[in-house]
Amino acid sequence: MDSVALATNPLREGLRSTRTVQPCILVIFGATGDLTHRKLLPALYNLAIEQPLPPQFTVVGVARRPFTDEQFRQQALDSVNTFSRRRPVNPSVWETFSKGLFYCQSQFDDPAGYERLDHLLDRLDQERGTQGNRIFYLATPPSFYGDIGALLSSSGVAKRGAASGVSPWARIVVEKPFGHDLASARALNERLNKGFSERQIFRIDHYLGKETVQNIMVMRFGNGIFEPIWNRRYIDHVQITVAESIGIEGRADYYEQAGAIRDMVQNHMMQLLTLTAMEPPVTFGADSVRDEKVKVLRAIPPLMEAEISTDTVRGQYGPGLVAGEPVPGYCEEPGVNSHSQTGTFVAAKLLIENWRWAGVPFYLRTGKRLAKRVTEIAIQFKRPPYLLFQGAAAQQMQPNVLSMRIQPNEGISLQVSAKVPGQEMKLRTVNMDFLYGSSFGVEPPEAYERLLLDAMLGDSTLFTRIDETELAWTLVDTIVRDWQVTGTPLSRYEPGAWGPKEADTLIERDGRSWRRL
Ligand code: BG6
């Protein structure tokens, strides 16, 4: 960003990070994979432009392909050219950044590869002054997480690690999914704990890196006017929608095992729910924030078998048309079992049994191949206690809704009733809007920029703690088990719709309806 822009728009102040990372080496396992290509390398380059990275900052890619350092640098340049939000590449930033990129070829489960890695890291410490500080980023298929964690400790590569900012320190960043259920999440954690304490483990949920997700906390706790009405006395219900128009994008192997409930509900939707529902934390420190999120998860009673058919819906998209183009049904996607019972849509009604939320339902829906891509949290308030306006005017009155739009068209909108100009008393619903794009005039950083930076700084506020992960799995495991026990059928839906009609029934049974988005 140029200094003129900063000077002319005061809202842009603070967009450049003032936090500086200590010299360190980031070791990326899975360095030739999709995540590294699309997200991690472009995010690191953007951080290099914004300058929180020190000149000694070094990246070592580890993967199975026989790349040289030069080939890895070339791949990184392709990634940045294709996916960076800042293009074209700035030659002088690239020159310095690319000199810090190195490659180590290894199988992820081969102890000899870890020996080579150890020597390389020691050499780079000497040559580049990285002081023994390490971050290990697991961007491999999840089946390797446990092996890598265990080998990092048994081979001594992670030997030096302290958790804090005192050099030398070591941290490990683990991509989602963290386990497949509660038992596997615990087993994975045990293996990681052989070399890393909880304070050294950074579990990624990329939704927490989104600016608009962080803004939920700022909205709630940076303003005085919301907190007094943020409770059961004023709020009728909450709707959380994470809708996607895409299908499974060639990820059949993973998705067949996961389905929408593990892919989206256990992690991203639970994060949105806990941030919306939590009590004000004592500080903005990692443990204070996560303590409050954990309390919310503890207050959600697991759904009983008897409630499973009324309070949850699982769906799967069939074949159809999207924007006039034919698209295959889930069971026709390459790699998917033609009789697959995996759900691509979930709707659920959850309750939070505490003083703030008793009796306020939280309705959740998420799915692939829905009408559009939109993520939103909508707080619907109760109607006014007495209807002053009669007749047609009264019928036109809609409840107030505060919607926090996570993506796209990021912003916040408050729906209020207003008088239509004229001699008669006619009401219409209007929106008071705040839009990120027009207010700040810049594109917000990508989620991975923020998360990588926080991991380098050792700030785990935006990462999930193990108790949080376990509680979310407990909820999901109960639902999945009840679906199996009760034989809850899959409801089909057309691509481009808002899910199966059973999802409408779920909310309409309570006299409410899904928002039209
Ligand atoms: C990922 C899921 O975690 O999140 C994907 O595995 C999903 O299935 C993606 O498409 C959605 O992320 P975003 O940032 O596009 O909303």
Side-chain angles (χ1 to χ4, degrees):
M1 182 191 322
D2 62 11
S3 50
V4 178
L6 271 175
T8 51
N9 181 353
L11 286 180
R12 292 180 173 195
E13 275 171 25
L15 291 172
R16 189 197 288 270
S17 177
T18 50
R19 305 183 299 164
T20 306
V21 172
Q22 289 178 344
C24 62
I25 304 180
L26 173 68
V27 182
I28 304 178
F29 287 88
T32 53
D34 217 40
L35 179 72
T36 308
H37 183 50
R38 286 169 180 267
K39 299 288 182 191
L40 303 184
L41 289 167
L44 290 169
Y45 168 75
N46 284 314
L47 287 174
I49 294 188
E50 297 198 350
Q51 297 172 359
L53 300 182
Q56 300 95 326
F57 177 70
T58 303
V59 175
V60 173
V62 181
R64 293 168 281 198
R65 282 187 217 173
F67 271 9
T68 59
D69 290 344
E70 213 30 67
Q71 282 170 312
F72 182 50
R73 288 172 189 162
Q74 192 52 48
Q75 178 201 272
L77 183 57
D78 289 348
S79 306
V80 174
N81 273 327
T82 321
F83 295 110
S84 168
R85 70 188 165 87
R86 298 183 178 242
R87 282 173 283 166
V89 169
N90 174 320
S92 76
V93 175
W94 177 253
E95 160 120 25
T96 316
F97 178 72
S98 63
K99 278 189 187 145
L101 302 181
F102 299 85
Y103 188 77
C104 175
Q105 193 233 330
S106 177
Q107 301 291 326
F108 301 127
D109 53 2
D110 173 16
Y114 288 73
E115 259 179 53
R116 288 198 300 280
L117 177 63
D118 201 20
H119 290 139
L120 175 63
L121 297 181
D122 282 344
R123 194 192 90 208
L124 292 174
D125 275 343
Q126 299 302 319
E127 289 175 9
R128 296 185 54 83
T130 37
Q131 303 172 14
N133 297 330
R134 318 260 193 264
I135 300 184
F136 302 100
Y137 197 117
L138 309 193
T140 61
S143 54
F144 288 109
Y145 295 169
D147 281 350
I148 298 174
L151 276 160
L152 279 172
S153 65
S154 64
S155 66
V157 176
K159 56 189 174 263
R160 305 166 184 81
S164 68
V166 183
S167 292
W169 46 257
R171 297 174 193 136
I172 188 162
V173 181
V174 191
E175 264 297 329
K176 80 165 262 265
F178 196 89
H180 177 76
D181 52 18
L182 178 61
S184 55
R186 282 190 172 151
L188 171 58
N189 206 50
E190 265 174 38
R191 295 193 80 189
L192 297 180
N193 279 158
K194 295 208 159 73
F196 301 89
S197 67
E198 175 62 23
R199 295 176 70 80
Q200 291 170 281
I201 303 176
F202 289 67
R203 294 176 197 81
I204 290 252
D205 182 316
H206 79 279
Y207 267 51
L208 289 174
K210 291 181 191 271
E211 288 284 314
T212 39
V213 172
Q214 293 160 42
N215 196 42
I216 301 170
M217 280 188 282
V218 177
M219 257 282 295
R220 291 193 53 201
F221 307 128
N223 295 291
I225 61 169
F226 296 116
E227 183 52 23
I229 55 171
W230 207 264
N231 57 51
R232 62 192 301 275
R233 246 171 289 151
Y234 297 95
I235 294 177
D236 178 72
H237 73 277
V238 176
Q239 292 186 21
I240 303 181
T241 302
V242 183
E244 295 186 282
S245 53
I246 54 172
I248 57 161
E249 307 270 280
R251 296 158 74 215
D253 281 354
Y254 157 73
Y255 203 87
E256 274 282 83
Q257 302 302 317
I261 189 148
R262 294 189 175 93
D263 187 43
M264 301 298 281
V265 178
Q266 189 271 346
N267 35 68
H268 309 324
M269 295 199 86
M270 282 300 147
Q271 291 300 335
L272 299 180
L273 180 143
T274 50
L275 290 170
T276 305
M278 73 185 194
E279 296 301 312
V282 185
T283 67
F284 192 50
D287 278 331
S288 304
V289 171
R290 296 183 301 177
D291 286 348
E292 297 307 332
K293 291 200 293 177
V294 162
K295 282 191 214 158
V296 174
L297 291 170
R298 285 212 188 102
I300 302 176
L303 291 175
M304 298 296 178
E305 250 175 70
E307 295 158 339
I308 209 79
S309 62
T310 50
D311 292 356
T312 67
V313 171
R314 51 195 298 261
Q316 189 190 73
Y317 61 84
L321 295 177
V322 167
E325 295 292 320
V327 293
Y330 177 71
C331 287
E332 287 89 54
E333 296 274 13
V336 170
N337 178 334
S338 56
H339 300 291
S340 174
Q341 289 298 303
T342 300
T344 58
F345 175 94
V346 179
K349 170 176 149 183
L350 297 179
L351 296 174
I352 301 174
E353 291 188 343
N354 62 19
W355 273 63
R356 187 187 288 268
W357 294 114
V360 179
F362 281 65
Y363 298 99
L364 276 48
R365 60 176 167 168
T366 182
K368 300 269 185 206
R369 285 263 187 257
L370 298 186
K372 56 161 96 150
R373 174 177 184 251
V374 52
T375 298
E376 183 207 71
I377 301 164
I379 315 289
Q380 182 158 327
F381 291 89
K382 293 188 174 169
R383 288 174 183 275
Y386 170 68
L387 288 183
L388 187 58
F389 309 106
Q390 301 300 320
Q395 283 160 19
Q396 289 148 1
M397 267 181 68
Q398 298 294 323
N400 298 118
V401 178
L402 181 76
S403 79
M404 296 185 274
R405 183 66 82 96
I406 306 298
Q407 61 191 20
N409 307 328
E410 291 80 359
I412 292 170
S413 170
L414 178 63
Q415 181 179 299
V416 293
S417 294
K419 182 178 177 307
V420 178
Q423 306 306 337
E424 288 175 61
M425 181 54 82
K426 279 193 182 164
L427 305 189
R428 173 129 357 122
T429 301
V430 295
N431 287 325
M432 290 162 57
D433 287 328
F434 149 68
L435 279 173
Y436 265 85
S438 48
S439 296
F440 292 100
V442 286
E443 215 189 328
E446 283 268 333
Y448 276 95
E449 294 172 36
R450 174 62 193 257
L451 295 176
L452 279 163
L453 181 60
D454 280 5
M456 291 182 217
L457 292 164
D459 180 351
S460 46
T461 312
L462 300 178
F463 295 83
T464 43
R465 208 169 58 188
I466 187 62
D467 47 353
E468 209 178 338
T469 305
E470 289 188 359
L471 283 162
W473 273 126
T474 306
L475 268 170
V476 163
D477 282 0
T478 314
I479 297 177
V480 172
R481 195 201 50 223
D482 287 352
W483 280 343
Q484 280 160 359
V485 172
T486 57
T488 304
L490 267 177
S491 311
R492 306 283 157 180
Y493 62 96
E494 303 249 315
W498 281 102
K501 62 178 181 346
E502 286 80 354
D504 295 331
T505 313
L506 178 148
I507 192 167
E508 283 165 8
R509 195 179 285 124
D510 294 344
R512 302 181 173 106
S513 55
W514 293 110
R515 276 166 56 76
R516 289 207 204 135
L517 299 174

